[in-house]
Amino acid sequence: MSKQKSKVEIEQFLQIVLNNIPMRVFLKDTHSKFVGSNQIFLEDLGIKTLDGLVGKSDYDFIADTQECEHFIKDDQEVMHSGLAKIGIEEPQSVNGAETRWLRTNKVPLTDKGGQVIGLLGTYEDITEQVKYREEIEQQALIDSLTQLSNRRHLQNCITSFNGECAGLLFIDLDYFKVVNDSLGHSVGDALLQQVAERINAIIPDEKGLVARLGGDEFSIFVPLVTESEYKLIMADFAQQIVDTLVESFIIDSHILNVSASIGIAFIQNGHLNHSQGFREADIAMYFAKENGRNNYQFYNDEMREQAERKNAMQRCMHHAIANNEFHLVYQPQYNEASELIGAEALLRWQSEELGFVPPDEFISIAEQTGLIHSLGQWVFNTALDALLDWNQHIALSEEFKLAVNVSSVQFRSSSVVSEFKSAIESRGLNANNVQIEITESLFIEDKDVAVRSMLKLQQLGMSIAIDDFGTGYSSLSYLANLPIDKLKIDRSFVENLDSSMVNRKLVDTLINMSKNLHMEVIAEGVETSEERDELIGLGCSQFQGYLFSRPVKSDVFIATILKG
Ligand code: C2E
Ligand code: CA
Ligand code: CA
């Protein structure tokens, strides 16, 4: 009895400690949803009791969605890597309140078995310190690290500019973070100094003003005489910068390679203020990044529309699972004798706000924001529920495969194997009925980690298919050494089979080689019986495509495909 009492006392004591410690403390689950916090944390968010917090995410409290993305991405990184992040300085803009600066620590929480079950976060409010630091810095107009102008000086120049028009270049280094993280800040700083020198050497003082905005971001303001010279002059500067930065840097005997992504915007005096010019150059810079980095892009309005759509998708996607906006459809697969051999689960998003959004568009965004982990898990569980349902209507043979697409980003997570395993076991399903579709992009980085997970999945009974085969860069001989059960020949090869001799030859070689390697081959996107016959002629014996059926919902699949 007394033992119990002392346990209660200890808990009360811990509660008191938690509420009096001069730090904000919060706990999140693996989906970045809050599960608890101390009192000052609640006060910061303007809420009174834990009930207002539990089950909610940063999205419910923070006005700026990009900031939320950033916080949640950080959470996911910590939980997926199992490594703490300590002393991150970042701004936070709680709905309705002034932006604050925080110094945050995030530590992964694990259960006894070492499985990550959530995250412990703490932070201090360092707004005053940051304000003081900024004030000191802003008194000067020079960036102390590179001796270039600083952001403030650049903004002053743009605001007080009284010429006709100007061009604004926004430069972001590619892979700078890698240098900083792997070789340390002093090497990073030295690199920024050399980059600054190279850029500065290209722009004579009388032609424009070069500034470092912060981190690895630089900007150049170029006053122009007429609009007609805008593209020519800016393209010339941008190309010179791209060219000069691809050449290696040597720092402390390290040979470093960075490149630059550059966005360019036009400023018409009186029409645009500087923040609009910055935003447009920034949007164009993102397009340069997405366009494979190491290039420059001129801003246009279409880019803005696309960027806005992307933002809207990011915002909407976060509530989409809870709102039941996702569902799966299933496309059957057949053999040469037109017998059903399996199906592929395909994800659909019917967004309340945006309408139907195709997976090609939203999967990459889910990958960038880290949402792919919970979304992919939802897909896997939902597909298994369908499999369970189908099994009750018709006894599926062990040969029947339900294929689930798994993004490379999700596949690299350390918990993927155990999550799949427990999802199958908890439903009493046979793992032989489950196939995982991955793409060659998985092998670009950390190939060994990926292969280890593939082997574990195979040991459990699942099989592995390589999706979109032929569109990547890897050769078949490269794949020969990997634990792969099946290749899916991409739709683009099937489409042009009769018109393109090259494709025919390619598909022919592919089928023959995969047979030698004891891999199965399935052709996807088969739309006509001519295509099917042609494929049969080449030795392919598994098919998927509109010729047989479009992807359909589970109940239709049962009624027309399993029973039909
Ligand atoms: P994928 O894995 O290559 O999927 C095949 C795509 O081809 C599907 O498009 C399917 O509807 C379409 N298709 C099937 N037969 C035919 C045909 O005969 N003709 C034509 N023209 N198209 C056909 P969908 O559903 O739009 O999916 C596009 C891509 O989105 C998928 O390509 C896959 O990469 C990704 N995706 C879809 N669902 C998921 C998912 O649950 N997880 C992940 N990570 N990715 C998914
Ligand atoms: Ca697929
Ligand atoms: Ca495919």
Side-chain angles (χ1 to χ4, degrees):
M1 197 64 193
S2 75
K3 211 171 176 185
Q4 235 178 20
K5 193 173 168 214
S6 75
K7 196 175 159 209
V8 171
E9 276 172 1
I10 288 172
E11 274 176 10
Q12 283 173 346
F13 177 71
L14 285 176
Q15 198 58 45
I16 292 169
V17 170
L18 201 59
N19 282 333
N20 286 286
I21 200 166
M23 262 194 159
R24 282 74 173 164
V25 180
F26 59 89
L27 296 167
K28 284 179 172 180
D29 68 12
T30 52
H31 301 297
S32 288
K33 294 259 160 69
F34 289 106
V35 291
S37 80
N38 67 353
Q39 199 57 36
I40 32 176
F41 181 80
L42 295 180
E43 283 162 18
D44 267 7
L45 297 185
I47 43 180
K48 296 209 169 57
T49 63
L50 273 178
D51 291 343
L53 177 78
V54 173
K56 299 208 168 128
S57 76
D58 289 313
Y59 280 93
D60 297 296
F61 306 107
I62 294 172
D64 183 336
T65 48
Q66 276 184 345
E67 207 175 289
C68 293
E69 296 303 339
H70 173 78
F71 286 153
I72 288 173
K73 200 167 164 223
D74 248 8
D75 294 348
Q76 295 297 328
E77 261 176 46
V78 168
M79 288 190 276
H80 286 284
S81 67
L83 300 173
K85 286 198 172 190
I86 305 292
I88 320 162
E89 292 189 2
E90 55 200 355
Q92 182 204 51
S93 50
V94 170
N95 298 345
E98 206 185 319
T99 298
R100 275 188 309 229
W101 276 85
L102 314 177
R103 186 181 294 122
T104 313
N105 304 308
K106 288 182 177 172
V107 182
L109 294 176
T110 52
D111 63 13
K112 281 185 189 144
Q115 183 86 10
V116 174
I117 50 168
L119 165 142
L120 168 71
T122 62
Y123 65 80
E124 292 161 89
D125 189 333
I126 53 161
T127 312
E128 286 307 313
Q129 283 153 269
V130 170
K131 270 192 187 152
Y132 179 69
R133 206 164 64 197
E134 276 177 357
E135 250 169 49
I136 300 271
E137 278 171 10
Q138 288 202 344
Q139 281 164 6
L141 298 173
I142 298 297
D143 169 46
S144 56
L145 178 68
T146 60
Q147 306 305 315
L148 294 176
S149 295
N150 64 10
R151 180 188 288 269
R152 184 181 197 185
H153 189 196
L154 182 77
Q155 281 174 351
N156 289 349
C157 284
I158 299 176
T159 320
S160 61
F161 173 61
N162 52 20
E164 262 308 295
C165 53
L168 188 66
L169 240 144
F170 202 102
I171 306 163
D172 189 281
L173 299 185
D174 307 322
Y175 310 113
F176 175 71
K177 199 176 168 313
V178 180
V179 173
N180 227 6
D181 290 352
S182 58
L183 299 174
H185 288 258
S186 63
V187 175
D189 283 353
L191 177 63
L192 290 174
Q193 286 167 338
Q194 292 198 16
V195 166
E197 269 171 39
R198 288 196 196 173
I199 296 176
N200 206 29
I202 290 171
I203 319 288
D205 282 352
E206 69 279 9
K207 288 280 171 65
L209 181 83
V210 183
R212 184 170 81 111
L213 303 177
D216 62 345
E217 289 175 355
F218 296 82
S219 181
I220 306 172
F221 177 66
V222 183
L224 299 168
V225 180
T226 64
E227 185 171 348
S228 60
E229 58 182 20
Y230 164 63
K231 289 226 158 158
L232 215 64
I233 290 182
M234 298 308 282
D236 179 43
F237 281 150
Q239 189 59 52
Q240 286 190 56
I241 294 168
V242 165
D243 291 344
T244 185
L245 295 184
V246 287
E247 294 193 18
S248 302
F249 291 83
I250 299 172
I251 291 162
D252 286 357
S253 75
H254 299 290
I255 299 178
L256 304 177
N257 294 303
V258 290
S259 55
S261 296
I262 301 177
I264 308 169
F266 183 67
I267 296 184
Q268 181 104 54
N269 207 359
H271 288 269
L272 280 177
N273 57 31
H274 64 79
S275 61
Q276 204 166 339
F278 271 119
R279 196 159 52 239
E280 293 184 352
D282 192 39
I283 289 174
M285 189 277 291
Y286 268 97
F287 273 78
K289 286 254 184 236
E290 286 192 350
N291 196 36
R293 301 160 196 256
N294 192 29
N295 71 107
Y296 64 87
Q297 298 285 328
F298 283 98
Y299 170 83
N300 60 48
D301 285 340
E302 207 176 297
M303 287 180 175
R304 198 199 54 231
E305 282 157 28
Q306 276 188 42
E308 280 167 2
R309 178 162 168 88
K310 195 173 154 184
N311 277 343
M313 273 197 268
Q314 291 189 351
R315 182 168 39 78
C316 293
M317 217 188 287
H318 269 274
H319 304 288
I321 295 185
N323 277 358
N324 285 320
E325 293 178 0
F326 289 113
H327 70 270
L328 291 184
V329 287
Y330 303 87
Q331 190 175 31
Q333 300 171 334
Y334 294 92
N335 67 13
E336 223 173 327
S338 298
E339 291 158 342
L340 182 69
I341 53 164
E344 177 178 4
L346 292 157
L347 184 56
R348 296 289 174 262
W349 181 20
Q350 186 66 41
S351 159
E352 200 180 306
E353 189 179 321
L354 304 169
F356 179 77
V357 186
D360 284 330
E361 217 179 321
F362 70 78
I363 293 284
S364 65
I365 291 173
E367 289 175 337
Q368 287 161 28
T369 58
L371 195 77
I372 194 70
H373 297 285
S374 47
L375 183 57
Q377 201 53 45
W378 180 89
V379 167
F380 196 74
N381 289 331
T382 308
L384 293 190
D385 286 340
L387 193 60
L388 202 60
D389 199 18
W390 299 352
N391 247 321
Q392 275 153 8
H393 285 86
I394 193 165
L396 298 169
S397 84
E398 208 165 76
E399 307 308 317
F400 183 93
K401 307 285 179 209
L402 176 57
V404 183
N405 293 286
V406 178
S407 137
S408 298
V409 177
Q410 188 196 354
F411 200 89
R412 282 190 205 111
S413 131
S414 59
S415 52
V416 81
V417 174
S418 61
E419 280 167 359
F420 286 180
K421 179 172 184 266
S422 65
I424 290 176
E425 283 172 357
S426 67
R427 288 172 179 79
L429 284 163
N430 184 345
N432 287 298
N433 289 139
V434 181
Q435 188 157 72
I436 305 295
E437 288 193 11
I438 51 179
T439 60
E440 294 160 65
S441 65
L442 183 59
F443 308 116
I444 300 178
E445 46 183 275
D446 273 351
K447 178 177 150 228
D448 297 343
V449 176
V451 168
R452 241 174 285 146
S453 296
M454 289 163 75
L455 287 169
K456 281 191 210 147
L457 293 176
Q458 284 178 332
Q459 275 157 15
L460 293 168
M462 285 168 252
S463 50
I464 309 268
I466 297 290
D467 207 353
D468 306 337
F469 189 74
T471 58
Y473 45 85
S474 49
S475 63
L476 197 58
S477 56
Y478 172 80
L479 294 184
N481 302 316
L482 299 174
I484 294 164
D485 301 284
K486 193 188 265 196
L487 293 182
K488 295 193 84 172
I489 303 180
D490 190 64
R491 199 166 71 218
S492 55
F493 295 103
V494 175
E495 229 166 39
N496 302 313
L497 214 51
D498 48 352
S499 61
S500 157
M501 257 328 262
V502 182
N503 273 358
R504 246 187 100 82
K505 191 80 207 125
L506 228 137
V507 172
D508 187 30
T509 315
L510 210 148
I511 292 171
N512 283 321
M513 280 184 75
S514 53
K515 280 192 174 155
N516 291 335
L517 297 168
H518 305 290
M519 289 181 193
E520 293 177 42
V521 181
I522 183 166
E524 60 181 345
V526 182
E527 293 186 355
T528 65
S529 47
E530 288 77 26
E531 284 168 354
R532 184 198 49 195
D533 295 344
E534 194 108 25
L535 284 159
I536 292 178
L538 292 170
C540 179
S541 54
Q542 297 187 12
F543 313 96
Q544 177 184 343
Y546 294 168
L547 171 66
F548 305 92
S549 168
R550 297 219 166 216
V552 294
K553 289 192 180 175
S554 179
D555 52 349
V556 180
F557 193 88
I558 294 171
T560 63
I561 292 164
L562 285 180
K563 294 183 173 171

